[in-house]
C-alpha cells in the first residue's frame, strides 16, 4: 500500500517523546528548530508523570556520587557499565539543582532543607520527592521551561510510525498527527525518547504509550539494541482489574505493610521478618509462586499505616478508593506487574545510537547504567542526566551535519494490513504470552513456545502498531532465550543460578529479516571512587 504524506515539515531536530527524557533533550536544544512529538498531552504523557517515589541524587550530607555509584552497581547484577553509572551519579546533583532552580517543588523538612528519603538498597537518604507524585512535579517544571513556540513546536497526540533513512543515516520520521494526517518530519537529527515497554505485557504499571514503539522504530531502521532481556517487575500493583494496574509504592512496605494471602498468612514467611524489604525481583517472584499455587495475595497496611494512609500516601489511597477498596479497613489485593525496562537502544555515553543521525535517551535507551536491575529512583535521574548529554551531543553534531537530502515526493510504503486481522485480539494475545512466558519466571520451553507464535504473527500482514508490538516481543524473547542463566531481573527456572561465563551483554542487530545476536564482555568495574 502506498500512502501520500499530507505535509512535510523541516526542523533541525525531531524529538520523539515528552517524558522526563524528551523534555530534558528539548530544553537543552534551545535556539534550534525542534519538533517535539508525543502521543499524549504535554505534561501528562508517558510514565514520567506517574512516577511516585522520587528521584535519586547524592545531594545530602554524608553522601557522595561514589556511594551512589556503589549502590547502583550493587543491585545491577555485575553487568552495569561503570562509566555510565559514574556519569549518572556524578552529574545527577547538578541536574537536580537546575531542576530546583527551574521551580520544581520538592518536599522539605522544617529547616527548609530537602527532605531526602532513604529507599531500599540506597545506603544513604538521597531520594528527593514531592509527596508521592514526584514525576508529575518534575515534568511540570521541565515543561514550563521549554523554549518558546517560535523554535519548539509541540505535536500532542502524534504517533511516530517509521524512521526515515537516507543511505545509512536517519533523516526524519513519519508520524500520524492527532487529526489523522500523515506528516513527514525531516530533520538533521532524530532523538528517540519514547519510554519503556511495560505495556507489551498483559499486567503492567505502565501507561499504554509505553509499549516499546521506539525499540521497533530503531530496529526497523537498522539500529543495535542491548540488554533486552532485563525487565523489572514491581511486586505490588493493585490487582483490581484495571489495565494498567495502579502502582502501590514500595514505601508502603517500607512503612511496615505486610504481604498476606487470603487466609491472612504471610506470603514470604520463610524469608524472615524483613521479607517485604527484599529486592523487588525476589518479592515479586514470591508473590508469583503464591499466585501460581492458587492463592490470592494482598498488601495489608492496616496495622502499620492504618488511618494515616490518606495523608501519607494519597496516590495509593485514591487508587484503592477508585476501585472500591478502603485500605484502612481491608487488605489491598496486589500482584506483580511489568514495570521498567533496563534494556533498550544501545547508546554510548552521549546517547548516540549505532546509526548516524539517531540518538536515544531515557527508558528507551540502554546506557548500561542499570545493568540487569535498576536501583529505585534512578530512572528519572537517568532521563535528566543523559537527556542533557544528548542535547549537547546533538548540538555538537549539527555543527558538521548537513541537512539530509531526500526525495520529498517519496511515498510511505506500508504493508497492506489484512482486513480480517483484529488488532485488539492480536495485541491481547501478544501481551498474554509475554506475561506468561517472557515474564517473571522464564524457561526454555515457554520462551520457545512464545517465540514460535511471535514468529508466526510476524509473518502476517498486521496493522502497524501490532507489527511493532510483535517485533518488540520477538526481540525480548530472543534475548531471554539466549541468556541461559539467572541474573538481576532475568530469572530462568531451568537455569536458576547466575553463571559467571554469562557476565556478558547481549546485543541484537537486524540482519535482513533475521536477528543477529552477539555478546560483549562487561569491563571490570573501574575504581568508581576515582571517576566519581
Ligand atoms: C507507576 C510508575 C511509577 C514510577 N515511579 C518511579 C519513581 O518513583 N522514580 C523513578 O526514578 N522512576 C519511576 N518510574 C519509572 C520512570 O517513570 C520512567 O522510567 C521514566 O519516567 C521514563 O521516562 P522517559 O522520558 O524515558 O519515558 P516516558 O516518560 O514514558 O515518556 C515517553 C514519551 O514518548 C511518547 N511516545 C511513545 N511512543 C511514541 C510514538 N510512537 N510516537 C510519539 N511519541 C511516543 C509518549 O507519549 C511519551 O511522551 C515509575 C514508572 C511508573 C510506570
Amino acid at each position: 500500500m502506498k500512502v501520500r504524506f499530507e505535509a512535510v515539515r523541516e526542523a533541525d531536530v525531531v524529538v520523539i517523546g515528552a517524558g522526563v527524557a524528551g523534555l530534558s533533550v528539548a530544553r537543552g536544544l534551545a535556539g534550534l528548530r525542534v519538533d517535539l512529538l508525543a502521543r499524549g498531552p504535554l505534561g501528562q504523557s508517558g510514565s514520567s508523570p506517574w512516577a511516585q517515589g522520587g528521584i535519586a541524587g547524592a545531594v545530602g550530607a554524608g553522601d557522595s556520587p561514589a556511594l551512589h555509584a556503589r549502590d547502583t552497581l550493587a543491585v545491577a547484577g555485575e553487568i552495569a557499565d561503570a562509566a555510565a553509572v559514574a556519569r549518572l551519579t556524578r552529574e545527577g546533583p547538578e541536574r537536580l539543582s537546575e531542576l530546583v532552580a527551574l521551580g520544581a517543588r520538592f518536599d522539605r523538612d522544617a529547616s527548609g532543607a530537602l527532605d531526602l528519603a532513604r529507599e531500599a538498597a540506597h545506603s544513604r537518604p538521597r531520594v528527593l520527592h514531592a509527596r508521592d507524585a514526584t514525576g508529575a512535579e518534575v515534568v511540570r517544571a521541565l515543561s514550563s521551561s521549554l523554549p518558546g513556540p517560535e523554535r519548539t513546536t509541540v505535536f500532542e497526540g502524534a504517533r511516530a510510525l517509521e524512521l526515515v533513512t537516507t543511505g545509512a543515516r536517519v533523516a526524519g520520521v513519519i508520524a500520524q498527527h492527532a487529526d489523522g494526517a500523515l506528516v513527514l518530519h525531516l530533520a538533521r537529527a532524530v532523538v528517540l525518547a519514547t519510554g519503556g515497554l511495560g505495556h507489551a505485557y498483559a499486567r503492567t504499571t505502565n501507561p499504554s504509550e509505553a509499549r516499546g514503539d521506539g525499540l521497533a522504530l530503531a530496529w526497523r531502521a537498522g539500529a543495535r539494541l542491548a540488554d533486552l532481556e532485563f525487565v523489572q517487575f514491581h511486586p505490588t500493583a493493585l490487582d483490581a482489574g484495571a489495565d494498567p494496574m495502579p502502582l502501590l509504592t514500595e514505601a508502603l512496605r517500607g512503612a511496615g505493610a505486610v504481604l498476606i494471602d487470603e487466609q491472612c498468612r504471610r506470603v514470604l514467611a520463610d524469608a524472615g521478618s524483613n521479607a517485604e524489604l527484599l529486592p523487588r525481583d525476589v518479592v515479586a517472584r514470591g508473590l508469583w509462586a503464591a499466585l501460581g499455587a492458587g492463592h490470592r495475595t494482598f498488601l495489608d497496611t492496616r496495622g502499620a499505616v492504618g488511618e494515616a494512609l490518606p495523608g501519607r500516601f494519597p496516590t495509593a489511597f485514591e487508587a484503592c478508593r477508585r476501585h472500591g477498596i478502603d485500605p484502612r479497613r481491608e487488605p489491598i489485593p496486589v500482584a506483580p506487574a511489568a514495570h521498567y525496562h533496563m534494556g533498550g537502544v544501545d547508546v554510548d555515553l552521549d546517547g548516540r545510537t549505532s546509526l548516524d543521525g539517531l540518538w536515544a535517551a531515557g527508558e528507551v535507551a540502554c546506557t548500561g547504567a542499570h545493568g540487569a536491575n535498576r536501583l529505585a529512583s534512578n530512572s528519572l535521574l537517568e532521563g535528566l542526566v543523559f537527556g542533557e548529554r544528548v542535547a549537547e551531543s546533538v548540538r555538537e553534531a549539527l555543527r558538521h551535519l548537513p541537512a539530509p537530502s531526500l526525495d520529498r515526493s517519496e511515498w510511505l510504503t506500508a504493508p497492506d494490513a489484512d482486513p480480517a486481522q483484529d488488532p485488539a485480539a492480536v495485541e491481547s494475545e501478544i501481551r498474554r504470552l509475554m506475561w506468561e512466558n517472557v515474564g517473571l519466571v522464564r524457561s526454555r520451553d515457554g520462551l520457545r513456545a512464545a517465540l514460535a507464535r511471535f514468529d508466526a504473527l510476524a509473518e502476517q500482514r498486521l496493522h502497524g502498531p501490532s507489527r511493532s508490538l510483535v517485533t518488540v516481543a520477538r526481540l525480548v524473547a530472543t534475548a531471554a532465550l539466549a541468556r541461559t542463566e539467572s541474573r538481576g531481573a532475568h530469572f530462568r527456572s531451568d537455569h536458576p543460578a547466575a553463571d559467571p561465563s554469562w557476565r556478558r551483554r547481549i546485543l541484537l542487530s537486524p540482519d535482513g529479516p533475521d536477528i543477529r545476536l552477539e555478546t560483549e564482555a562487561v569491563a571490570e568495574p573501574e575504581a568508581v571512587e576515582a571517576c566519581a
Side-chain angles (χ1 to χ4, degrees), residues 12-13 28-29 32 169 188-189 359 391-403:
D12 294 316
V13 190
L29 294 173
L32 295 170
R169 178 174 161 197
R188 292 197 286 154
W359 283 254
E392 206 173 293
S393 170
V394 166
R395 276 183 178 286
E396 173 59 27
L398 290 195
R399 291 206 192 110
H400 321 289
L401 266 179

Side-chain angles (χ1 to χ4, degrees), residues 16-22 37-40 45-55 158-160 193-196 205-207 209-210 213 217 247 339-340 361-364 374 377-381:
I16 310 171
V20 63
L37 314 184
R39 289 190 56 199
S45 181
S47 295
S48 296
W50 294 20
Q52 299 181 7
I55 180 163
R159 181 173 201 161
T194 48
T205 61
N206 288 192
E209 294 148 83
D213 274 8
L217 293 175
L247 178 83
H339 185 57
Y340 182 80
E363 196 170 333
V364 69
R374 170 190 68 128
S377 294
N378 265 357
S379 38
L380 288 175
L381 186 70

Side-chain angles (χ1 to χ4, degrees), residues 67-76 85 88-89 369-370 373 375 378:
L67 288 173
H68 188 184
R70 194 176 293 160
D71 293 344
T72 301
L73 288 168
V75 300
V85 173
L88 176 77
T89 53
H370 308 295
N373 217 348
L375 182 65
N378 265 357

Side-chain angles (χ1 to χ4, degrees), residues 241-303:
D243 176 24
M245 298 161 77
L247 178 83
L248 296 172
T249 171
E250 214 138 48
L252 285 162
R253 278 174 284 130
V258 288
L259 291 162
I260 59 172
D261 69 11
E262 70 287 350
Q263 292 170 15
C264 286
R265 290 176 307 209
R266 293 282 289 276
V267 175
L268 305 169
D270 295 345
S273 56
N274 270 341
E276 273 76 9
L277 299 180
L278 287 169
R280 267 182 195 173
D281 53 311
V282 178
V283 178
R285 280 196 295 277
L287 290 175
W288 171 270
L291 290 164
H295 294 289
R296 294 200 62 206
T297 49
F298 300 87
L299 184 67
D300 191 354
T301 61
R302 290 171 299 178

